[in-house]
Amino acid sequence: MGTPTGTDAGIQSRDLSTPEPGPYPATAGAAALDVAEGPAAKVALVGVHGFGSHHLRNLERLQAAGVVDLVAVADPSPPAPGSVPETAHVFPGLAELLAETSGLDLIIVATPIQTHAPLGLAALATAADLYLEKPPVASLADFNRLCDAAAVSGRNVQIGFQSLGSHALQAIEKLLADGTIGTLQGISATGRWVRDRAYYKRSRWAGKRTIDGVDVVDGVATNPLAHAVATALRIAGARITADIASLETELYRANQIESDDTSVIRIRTSSGLPITCALTLCATESVEPYVTLRGSAGTAVFHYTEDRLTVETAAGRTEEVLGRDDLTENLLAHRSSGVPLLSPLLDSGAFMLVLEAIRTAPLPAPIDGKYVRWEGEAEAAHAVVVDIEDALERAAGQHATFSELGLPWATSAPHVFNLPAS
């Protein structure tokens, strides 16, 4: 994106070859738009390729419904012919867009992680509300700056954790309140995905911790499977930084990258609830990630990319696929009628502690090649950590790290993150 002074130059729009989770499932937007009648909101989109293309499709749907008017887009690479309305103006960067566009109601930022802070701050200096893709920013310091700017501006900020729009979250709240699975004893998030060599070569920032001294933090838990972490935290009631009592990380990499691709994050909330996230991009095959709630009288499993909730107790097993609210619609409804935001900026505080713990942790430990096999050819080849599926299940089920399980390739140890003073 074209970026404000002091930001990393030459950055292209956010490119996630397999976005996580599917941001606009069939259930999203199926019902009538819950937005008050009135003039269409004037919207600008920053980043139109990669993940930005999903926003383009969603904005096309909302524009057809008369809810929004996409008046401008910004990207150093021109949009594909026909991908934006003929009436939308095209700019190489946000600075140019803002210089020539007035009266915006909403700015959507779908760009690389390291650009989120400067672009978000630039957006909040206008009179527009902000939709910022996840993760919000690449450091806790930048998160605090963004929160301060939002407070001063009085603007609304929605963070693009699409899974938090799932109706399954309300169903989970109810089953916990009703005692359906008894007393909640722990939560785990399990993610098994595949990413090939081409994935890490698709952009300059892929798999990086930093670029030219600028934080990126593109690891398994902070980008591809960030929704697993964010969803587990939300279910546990951990939204702000004060909701976290302890946080440990154990980070590994099988690929030749800077960041982690196979990790365990272990969290304890201020209420004492344990949360363990066991995640990899080095699985045999990709499967839908899931969050597991273990209770004294049963379990509930939430496949958040599918909005699918399975509950198992002594009474039997039930499975339900629920709907999902679109976060852009939710932000528009919040503007017009005060509907609560589903993923407000401040509620990303707990997630940002996880990102900060990963950012400041020791470098990910390389996994010895004798425990890694490669499947596929050339750029389509992907690393598979031997028996990783079993390792993830054990880690999640026992709230243990890989080294605590005694895995032969787990040469690191849990790193305790020093929580910032409140």
Side-chain angles (χ1 to χ4, degrees):
M1 290 307 311
T3 53
T5 302
T7 65
D8 193 24
I11 297 170
Q12 296 189 0
S13 57
R14 186 181 185 90
D15 181 9
L16 299 181
S17 55
T18 309
E20 183 278 326
Y24 311 116
T27 52
L33 297 175
D34 185 21
V35 179
E37 292 184 5
K42 294 177 67 175
V43 177
L45 173 63
V46 187
V48 300
H49 300 289
F51 201 82
S53 65
H54 291 271
H55 282 286
L56 277 177
R57 289 195 291 273
N58 195 44
L59 291 169
E60 180 181 17
R61 175 180 69 87
L62 295 173
Q63 185 149 327
V67 175
V68 304
D69 179 12
L70 180 59
V71 298
V73 301
D75 199 301
S77 299
S83 63
V84 302
E86 293 183 0
T87 54
H89 296 280
V90 178
F91 299 92
L94 179 58
E96 295 87 346
L97 185 154
L98 294 178
E100 299 187 33
T101 311
S102 61
L104 287 172
D105 297 306
L106 173 62
I107 298 173
I108 300 174
V109 174
T111 59
I113 301 166
Q114 69 273 21
T115 68
H116 285 191
L119 294 177
L121 290 170
L124 288 174
T126 74
D129 289 329
L130 173 64
Y131 182 122
L132 184 62
E133 267 306 329
K134 61 83 183 167
V137 285
S139 73
L140 188 60
D142 277 345
F143 177 72
N144 290 333
R145 278 191 283 271
L146 198 65
C147 289
D148 289 343
V152 169
S153 70
R155 307 317 304 170
N156 302 301
V157 183
Q158 182 98 289
I159 302 301
F161 286 112
Q162 292 91 10
S163 60
L164 301 186
S166 179
H167 300 170
L169 295 181
Q170 288 74 48
I172 289 170
E173 286 182 4
K174 185 176 188 305
L175 72 85
L176 291 176
D178 292 346
T180 303
I181 62 171
T183 302
L184 183 60
Q185 298 175 330
I187 296 175
S188 63
T190 308
R192 307 197 305 263
W193 273 2
V194 170
R195 291 295 182 265
D196 59 18
R197 286 192 175 109
Y199 175 80
Y200 292 109
K201 294 182 178 180
R202 75 195 193 281
S203 65
R204 181 171 173 245
W205 58 273
K208 297 291 182 64
R209 285 169 69 95
T210 63
I211 294 179
D212 300 331
V214 177
D215 289 314
V216 178
V217 202
D218 180 35
V220 58
T222 54
N223 191 9
L225 286 164
H227 284 85
V229 179
T231 306
L233 289 168
R234 174 60 65 88
I235 292 171
R239 298 181 182 230
I240 62 175
T241 55
D243 293 330
I244 302 298
S246 67
L247 210 169
E248 299 168 90
T249 60
E250 195 171 291
L251 314 177
Y252 297 89
R253 61 171 180 83
N255 288 277
Q256 294 299 311
I257 57 175
E258 293 180 3
S259 293
D260 55 313
D261 57 34
T262 302
S263 297
V264 169
I265 296 96
R266 185 165 56 192
I267 305 160
R268 188 168 292 274
T269 69
S270 56
S271 65
L273 187 69
I275 307 170
T276 300
C277 304
L279 313 167
T280 190
L281 301 179
C282 303
T284 305
E285 61 180 358
S286 290
V287 299
E288 296 302 324
Y290 51 93
V291 176
T292 302
L293 292 74
R294 292 180 174 84
S296 58
T299 60
V301 180
F302 175 34
H303 287 80
Y304 61 83
T305 64
E306 302 174 323
D307 300 317
R308 177 162 57 93
L309 179 62
T310 303
V311 180
E312 192 161 353
T313 67
R317 182 179 184 274
T318 63
E319 184 171 288
E320 184 179 9
V321 176
L322 296 105
R324 180 185 296 196
D325 291 331
D326 171 58
L327 294 188
T328 302
E329 287 184 43
N330 171 246
L331 177 51
L332 295 171
H334 177 76
R335 283 173 47 86
S336 64
S337 58
V339 172
L341 289 176
L342 292 170
S343 184
L345 175 64
L346 289 178
D347 282 5
S348 292
F351 175 85
M352 284 304 305
L353 279 186
V354 174
L355 185 146
E356 186 72 1
I358 292 169
R359 186 185 75 85
T360 58
L363 292 173
I367 298 175
D368 191 307
K370 65 184 178 183
Y371 300 109
V372 179
R373 69 175 186 271
W374 286 86
E375 297 186 355
E377 301 293 333
E379 297 305 295
H382 65 94
V384 178
V385 176
V386 175
D387 295 329
I388 188 61
E389 287 79 8
D390 177 68
L392 295 175
E393 288 298 317
R394 291 171 60 198
Q398 299 176 35
H399 294 288
T401 68
F402 297 134
S403 64
E404 291 170 345
L405 293 174
L407 301 178
W409 49 264
T411 58
S412 186
H415 178 73
V416 177
F417 174 62
N418 292 319
L419 295 170
S422 57

